[in-house]
Amino acid sequence: MGDISETLNKKNNTKCENSQKLTENKDEELTPNILKTYANLTHQSFLNASDLKVQPISGAGDNSYGLVLQVICNAKSGESSETPFSSILKISPKNPARRAHMNVFDFYTREVFLYEKVFEEFHVLAEERNSINGESAESALFDIVPKMFSYSLENHDEFIIFEDLLKIGYIQNARSKPPTYDLVLKTFQTLAKFHAMSFILQAKKPKVFTELVSQMADNLFTENIADVSVEFGKTYIKRTRDMLVEEAEPKTYDNTADMIAVLDKVEQNFKKVGISCVQGNACAPYAVICHGDFWNNNILYKLDSNQCAESAKFVDFQIARYAAPVLDLIHYTFTCTEKTFRDAHLNELLDIYYKCLAKHICLFALDPTKIYPEQIFKQQLCRYGIFGLCMAAFSIPFFISNSNELVDLDEVCEAISVISAPEDSTSQNANNSVPSSSKDSANKSEENNEKNRALINDYYLLTPRSEPIFKRRMTGVVCDILKYDMADYVLNL
């Protein structure tokens, strides 16, 4: 670990700088290409960033794949009296190590693909249906995502410009704040409509649907997923197990031994479990285009006069995937809600989700009992529920951390790039003609894993403040994995 010690030792000096960078360097983020795009959108000439009002929307821990800014274009003095053009600008990170580790270009390409190809098909289906049924029929408009105004996929200058939902009354539930019942209800109902559109497209235009999903190989859980990412998830699975083992009498749960068994199996098979859950073809035709990164920050709500959610819209489709629809439900439920909430409401909300999905399918004169039988829905919850534990291990440490407790992602990725770099070529065989033995490869793999574990331990996210919260949230997830019969797959590995 000596080669990375200097990089790792930066941690304490830079840990709190993320939110400062958002404001101090915001003008530097508006590249000439971005300024030109805004000029074209508004038919005005922006010579530099001072012509625009820019403020950060995302803070530390809110978005791993770049900056999210609100950009307001005010008409120049004397030129126009039009209402200022307000938008949300998502800009890719520029740090080379972070870009490489997080496959930034692929993520931006995936989101643009969703808007230009998938959502366009959803819009066409809705318009066709409404034109046939007339205005008196219940509307089936696809209106649950913001508009995309423009984008660039130029390497190292990727950005997307969206409609500003904040300006029309939508708000975000805070990253660390568990959602209230009305928010979860509206989330489940809106997600049901989103998933229903995939089933409808598959039924109405099967060739189009097949072509679309063929271009949506998972971009998170793959055979090439970085070892350090796997070790990160395993670290927090192990910490949860250790917390249960260390717990003094009386035990919080009656089935602690069963919970530990689940955690042991997930730790041993973390990569395999994750990859097995995201295979849409394995559960076709009962698979849909999922959001893929479904949590608090990627859902915005408009509230009524009683401050209850009356509508919801989804953002950030960079990890959208073709998979069982329950993956989005499970991801959101186990990473964003508390066990006490699930005990009181989960069965009811799952029933509401399915009924809403079935109703939306019926609007298109299709039979939901054939397209997505309720029995299949329940079977998928049992089979893929374990995905929620994997995502909880990834997510909850971030969700419960304050901004000043989070690490600098650029710094972490630079450290990862150091430990992932190949050995000096002088240490290798001159003509590379002698293959490594299986034993040598295994030793090298374990050596790399040890470095990854050391790196993760150095950037350990939990603090004396957040550890009790982590324990409550994670042990609650494991308990519910057993409660809702979601453990069989992993226990049989």
Side-chain angles (χ1 to χ4, degrees):
M1 291 296 292
D3 292 340
I4 65 170
S5 59
E6 182 176 351
T7 307
L8 299 181
N9 287 336
K10 295 179 184 176
K11 178 181 65 171
N12 294 330
N13 295 326
T14 62
K15 195 173 184 179
C16 304
E17 293 178 357
N18 278 344
S19 58
Q20 294 174 2
K21 289 179 182 178
L22 292 173
T23 53
E24 291 175 0
N25 298 330
K26 67 185 179 186
D27 289 350
E28 298 175 11
E29 301 295 336
L30 300 185
T31 63
N33 194 12
I34 293 175
L35 293 174
K36 179 181 178 181
T37 302
Y38 272 105
N40 291 335
L41 284 172
T42 61
H43 307 292
Q44 295 192 61
S45 175
F46 298 108
L47 300 179
N48 53 61
S50 63
D51 292 332
L52 305 171
K53 181 181 178 181
V54 182
Q55 62 181 5
I57 298 298
S58 61
D62 290 339
N63 195 304
S64 300
Y65 307 111
L67 288 178
V68 181
L69 308 170
Q70 183 186 55
V71 179
I72 300 176
C73 309
N74 291 302
K76 293 187 176 180
S77 178
E79 291 188 5
S80 174
S81 59
E82 293 182 0
T83 302
F85 176 73
S86 185
S87 65
I88 298 299
L89 171 64
K90 183 187 293 187
I91 307 174
S92 64
K94 302 301 184 282
N95 180 276
R98 185 170 168 189
R99 289 180 60 84
H101 178 66
M102 295 186 169
N103 301 316
V104 168
F105 178 78
D106 291 343
F107 289 132
Y108 276 76
T109 301
R110 177 61 53 87
E111 184 152 30
V112 170
F113 174 80
L114 262 288
Y115 271 87
E116 286 200 323
K117 302 298 183 181
V118 175
F119 295 165
E120 182 58 30
E121 291 292 344
F122 290 175
H123 282 298
V124 170
L125 280 174
E127 289 170 1
E128 289 175 349
R129 183 266 172 195
N130 290 339
S131 66
I132 293 172
N133 289 273
E135 294 184 2
S136 61
E138 183 176 351
S139 174
L141 290 177
F142 181 70
D143 59 355
I144 60 177
V145 299
K147 298 174 184 176
M148 182 179 72
F149 292 136
S150 190
Y151 68 88
S152 170
L153 295 178
E154 183 178 328
N155 201 22
H156 291 275
D157 193 18
E158 302 93 346
F159 64 84
I160 309 177
I161 301 174
F162 296 103
E163 172 188 11
D164 185 359
L165 295 178
L166 302 176
K167 283 295 184 180
I168 57 174
Y170 282 83
I171 62 171
Q172 190 179 67
N173 192 42
R175 166 170 56 88
S176 59
K177 184 179 179 181
T180 53
Y181 176 85
D182 63 299
L183 298 183
V184 181
L185 173 63
K186 188 53 61 178
T187 298
F188 274 42
Q189 291 173 331
T190 308
L191 185 64
K193 294 178 181 179
F194 177 66
H195 289 160
M197 292 307 299
S198 280
F199 284 123
I200 294 162
L201 181 60
Q202 182 176 210
K204 297 282 188 180
K205 302 179 181 180
K207 290 183 179 179
V208 172
F209 182 78
T210 300
E211 174 61 23
L212 290 174
V213 299
S214 71
Q215 301 175 62
M216 295 188 64
D218 204 82
N219 54 13
L220 179 62
F221 280 106
T222 70
E223 289 294 342
N224 296 323
I225 185 174
D227 291 339
V228 69
S229 297
V230 176
E231 290 300 327
F232 180 90
K234 290 168 64 174
T235 293
Y236 291 95
I237 292 291
K238 181 178 184 299
R239 183 68 191 113
T240 306
R241 182 195 58 201
D242 291 346
M243 286 175 165
L244 285 172
V245 172
E246 295 163 2
E247 192 173 60
E249 297 290 348
K251 302 288 185 182
T252 304
Y253 301 103
D254 295 331
N255 57 345
T256 299
D258 293 334
M259 293 167 67
I260 291 172
V262 170
L263 290 162
D264 281 338
K265 282 288 190 176
V266 173
E267 184 188 355
Q268 295 164 17
N269 300 279
F270 193 89
K271 179 178 177 179
K272 180 177 182 179
V273 170
I275 292 175
S276 73
C277 288
V278 300
Q279 304 301 313
N281 289 331
C283 55
Y286 307 119
V288 299
I289 296 169
C290 292
H291 183 285
D293 192 17
F294 203 59
W295 66 290
N296 271 350
N297 269 36
N298 293 333
I299 310 161
L300 282 82
Y301 304 93
K302 180 175 281 187
L303 307 183
D304 61 19
S305 58
N306 295 318
Q307 298 302 295
C308 291
E310 65 177 10
S311 64
K313 290 184 185 285
F314 302 156
V315 299
D316 204 353
F317 293 87
Q318 293 179 316
I319 315 179
R321 58 165 56 98
Y322 175 55
V326 299
L327 260 61
D328 282 339
L329 281 170
I330 290 297
H331 184 165
Y332 173 81
T333 299
F334 283 149
T335 63
C336 298
T337 69
E338 296 267 8
K339 176 169 173 51
T340 51
F341 179 92
R342 298 191 294 271
D343 287 343
H345 304 296
L346 183 56
N347 283 328
E348 170 202 356
L349 288 165
L350 289 172
D351 185 56
I352 289 171
Y353 163 86
Y354 183 80
K355 287 179 178 177
C356 186
L357 179 141
K359 179 181 178 182
H360 204 68
I361 290 173
C362 286
L363 288 179
F364 289 78
L366 297 169
D367 185 353
T369 64
K370 295 180 180 178
I371 286 178
Y372 190 45
E374 187 172 10
Q375 186 60 31
I376 296 294
F377 170 57
K378 292 178 179 179
Q379 289 174 4
Q380 287 187 346
L381 285 169
C382 293
R383 165 60 182 88
Y384 298 111
I386 197 66
F387 184 77
L389 179 56
C390 293
M391 296 313 300
F394 272 135
S395 306
I396 288 178
F398 288 99
F399 294 177
I400 64 175
S401 296
N402 295 328
S403 295
N404 64 346
E405 295 170 337
L406 292 169
V407 298
D408 185 308
L409 285 175
D410 288 350
E411 178 191 341
V412 174
C413 290
E414 287 168 2
I416 292 171
S417 70
V418 172
I419 66 174
S420 301
E423 293 181 352
D424 191 308
S425 58
T426 58
S427 65
Q428 300 175 10
N429 184 278
N431 59 10
N432 294 317
S433 61
V434 181
S436 299
S437 67
S438 298
K439 184 176 181 180
D440 289 342
S441 297
N443 289 340
K444 182 63 178 176
S445 177
E446 182 53 35
E447 180 184 339
N448 287 338
N449 286 340
E450 287 180 6
K451 290 180 179 180
N452 288 328
R453 286 190 287 269
L455 175 67
I456 293 164
N457 288 337
D458 199 81
Y459 285 103
Y460 187 68
L461 287 173
L462 302 183
T463 66
R465 180 200 66 81
S466 62
E467 279 227 345
I469 305 172
F470 174 83
K471 178 182 179 182
R472 182 184 74 243
R473 296 277 295 271
M474 285 293 292
T475 56
V477 171
V478 186
C479 187
D480 281 351
I481 291 292
L482 289 164
K483 175 181 177 180
Y484 296 103
D485 298 322
M486 298 173 174
D488 285 354
Y489 165 74
V490 73
L491 290 175
N492 288 328
L493 290 176

